[in-house]
Amino acid sequence: MDNVDVLDARKRLKANNAQLKKGSKAWIVKKKEQMERKGKIVKATSKYTGRKRVGGVVFVFETLLDM
């Protein structure tokens, strides 16, 4: 058991998973593919997948105040 390095194997696994930042578009697409393989119902990937939601409610509220 002198030549066995468990930590090295764990570091290698962690290095592979560290490539995708959680919440990035690539991460989201990967998760969607995983869920589809599991047989789950997944919304289609579009050009808006992974984008931040900016504006929205604040914009509507400001336009109501201007009326």
Side-chain angles (χ1 to χ4, degrees):
M1 295 289 295
D2 293 332
N3 296 332
V4 177
D5 191 7
V6 176
L7 293 178
D8 186 43
R10 289 183 183 162
K11 285 181 185 177
R12 204 172 325 132
L13 284 174
K14 193 171 185 179
N16 287 341
N17 291 335
Q19 294 171 352
L20 299 177
K21 183 179 178 190
K22 189 172 182 179
S24 67
K25 182 169 183 166
W27 181 85
I28 293 170
V29 170
K30 181 182 166 193
K31 283 301 259 189
K32 283 185 170 191
E33 289 171 357
Q34 283 179 352
M35 298 303 274
E36 284 176 347
R37 277 185 265 139
K38 287 183 178 182
K40 305 282 185 180
I41 298 172
V42 181
K43 292 192 76 164
T45 302
S46 71
K47 67 179 185 178
Y48 302 107
T49 299
R51 290 194 183 179
K52 298 284 185 196
R53 294 178 183 228
V54 180
V57 177
V58 175
F59 176 73
V60 171
F61 185 68
E62 287 176 355
T63 54
L64 288 174
L65 288 176
D66 292 339
M67 294 179 146

